[in-house]
Amino acid sequence: MTVFMRKTTASGEAKVAGERSLLLGIGISAVGIGMYVPFSLVFFHHVTGLSLTVVGLVMTVTGLAGLAFMPLAGTAVDRFGAKRVNLLLYGVRALGFALYPLASSLPAFAAVALVTALADRSFSVVQQSLIGEVARGAARDRLQASTRALQNAGMGAGALLVTGVLALWGTGGFTYTAWGNALAFALAGLLVGRVRAVRAVPGAGAAGAPVTGSAGYRTVLRDRPFLGLTAANFLTALGYSALSVLFPLYLSTWLGAPDSLTGAAFTVNTALCAGIGVLIAGRVRRSGARRTRSAALGAVLFAAAFVGQIALGTLRPGRTATLIALLVIVVVYTLGELVHSPSGGALSVSAAPEAVRGRYLATYQLSYSLAGALAPSLFTALLAVDGRLPWAVLTVAALGAALALLRLERHLPAQAVHAEPPVVPGAARPVPVTAAA
């Protein structure tokens, strides 16, 4: 086997082969997502001609089916490799959006929506697995941060783009948007196809306990530290749902603030994620902090933002003071997101044994999906009792997640906890290598 020295970034971190193409592809696909997510119900209503009620029902059913498909996606990653499955999902999404304008009947729309939903719901599992397949060490943290920044920037650009399309062509522009999405996903797939997997550093070993070729989800269920990590992430994931689900309801029903503040909060959050996400993650990474501790810090920042909401809902100052306080709270919340996300993502990828990484990450990603599914009913029920109660529950959840991460630190593989292996005095530092194409 021929090996080459890998390129490094200015900070000395190993650079992934095909990294620019990978990130460009992720950014382009995010533009496609941003072109339809903000208008999903209306989007499919105009593209297919079906009623909003029918469209909503089909999207709910196919979305649930997509969740059930995630474990199969994890198995496919372990069997065929993350890159191949990633390219397949890009192809399915491209074909799905190309067919949407032709799916004017209920059976046709349901069939296209089902196949596309399976690809959409599984994509996060496969993308996380792909990062684990093409990067190691601190490069995983860097890719996590870059991916999140590009996704936020791309989705914002996509939303602006579709707004311009609709202003120019009216609702008929939704059809052009669907075809634009298809083109975006196809182009993203071509770009991501240029990335190369990296081979393990000789003698470094894989994260976690050794696994056999017949290992399956039973291996995941026996890994108590990883299940603990997944449970901790579920608690944090409830906080991720707060901005989109709880925040608008809280503003209108408890604070009596104008709905326009919700849009302003989203704009601030998206702008910060896209603008300083990589910078914040780089500072955290270069500090040498263990991934468990930086993820815990992110959860603590979440808790601080939630306590701020409780204080705001108790004091209920004037309009100007409320606006300033909400701005500060959103900034603190976003900083928590920027600190937690790269470290938490790299921690889950690195804690998964390579042979069953797909299954491990499918299990981990379910924590996000379950939190997202539970959040609307949980938040509305708590809000009906007292507007501050959901924030109190989220505060306890975030602090519980932070404590769990710290307690799990000594039970997780060292390769997962440390972005770079601890340097032993007098020992030679391993040189990253990659296989020839």
Side-chain angles (χ1 to χ4, degrees), residues 74-113:
T75 302
V77 166
D78 293 334
R79 180 167 298 182
F80 303 108
K83 180 180 175 180
R84 291 180 181 178
V85 180
N86 185 276
L87 295 178
L88 174 63
L89 295 188
Y90 270 129
V92 169
R93 296 164 97 189
L95 179 61
F97 277 93
L99 292 177
Y100 269 128
L102 308 177
S104 55
S105 67
L106 176 57
F109 172 59
V112 175

Side-chain angles (χ1 to χ4, degrees), residues 87-385:
L87 295 178
L88 174 63
L89 295 188
Y90 270 129
V92 169
R93 296 164 97 189
L95 179 61
F97 277 93
L99 292 177
Y100 269 128
L102 308 177
S104 55
S105 67
L106 176 57
F109 172 59
V112 175
L114 175 61
V115 175
T116 308
L118 298 183
D120 283 341
R121 293 287 184 172
S122 300
F123 193 78
S124 59
V125 175
V126 179
Q127 182 166 278
Q128 290 293 306
S129 300
L130 180 63
I131 290 176
E133 193 173 277
V134 303
R136 296 191 182 279
R140 286 179 178 169
D141 302 70
R142 189 182 72 252
L143 279 182
Q144 292 280 353
S146 299
T147 295
R148 190 165 190 84
L150 283 170
Q151 286 173 335
N152 278 278
M155 290 182 67
L160 288 175
L161 180 60
V162 74
T163 299
V165 170
L166 295 179
L168 186 61
W169 285 294
T171 55
F174 279 119
T175 298
Y176 300 114
T177 301
W179 288 332
N181 287 344
L183 180 62
F185 289 131
L187 180 57
L190 291 174
L191 288 167
V192 173
R194 300 177 63 181
V195 74
R196 299 185 216 166
V198 60
R199 295 187 181 274
V201 177
V211 293
T212 64
S214 60
Y217 280 101
R218 286 179 297 179
T219 303
V220 185
L221 296 177
R222 288 195 297 264
D223 193 335
R224 295 180 64 183
F226 190 84
L227 292 181
L229 183 63
T230 302
N233 190 67
F234 170 78
L235 297 176
T236 312
L238 287 173
Y240 276 94
S241 300
L243 187 62
S244 59
V245 179
L246 175 58
F247 190 77
L249 295 174
Y250 179 69
L251 283 183
S252 60
T253 63
W254 187 259
L255 293 181
D259 292 334
S260 59
L261 285 182
T262 298
F266 274 96
T267 301
V268 170
N269 176 261
T270 302
L272 288 176
C273 286
I276 65 171
V278 175
L279 174 64
I280 295 295
R283 290 287 180 89
V284 172
R285 191 168 64 249
R286 287 189 292 274
S287 72
R290 299 176 185 182
R291 287 167 173 154
T292 42
R293 298 183 185 184
S294 51
L297 174 59
V300 169
L301 288 170
F302 269 177
F306 301 149
V307 170
Q309 293 284 22
I310 295 172
L312 183 61
T314 301
L315 299 175
R316 297 190 182 187
R319 183 168 181 173
T320 301
T322 297
L323 177 61
I324 295 173
L326 284 174
L327 177 62
V328 173
I329 289 170
V330 170
V331 170
V332 173
Y333 173 90
T334 305
L335 288 175
E337 183 179 343
L338 296 180
V339 172
H340 174 273
S341 181
S343 299
L347 182 62
S348 65
V349 171
S350 303
E354 291 188 12
V356 285
R357 181 184 289 137
R359 292 173 173 89
Y360 266 67
L361 294 181
T363 303
Y364 185 82
Q365 289 296 321
L366 277 174
S367 62
Y368 281 111
S369 300
L370 290 175
L374 177 63
S377 58
L378 175 63
F379 293 159
T380 52
L382 294 173
L383 195 64
V385 178

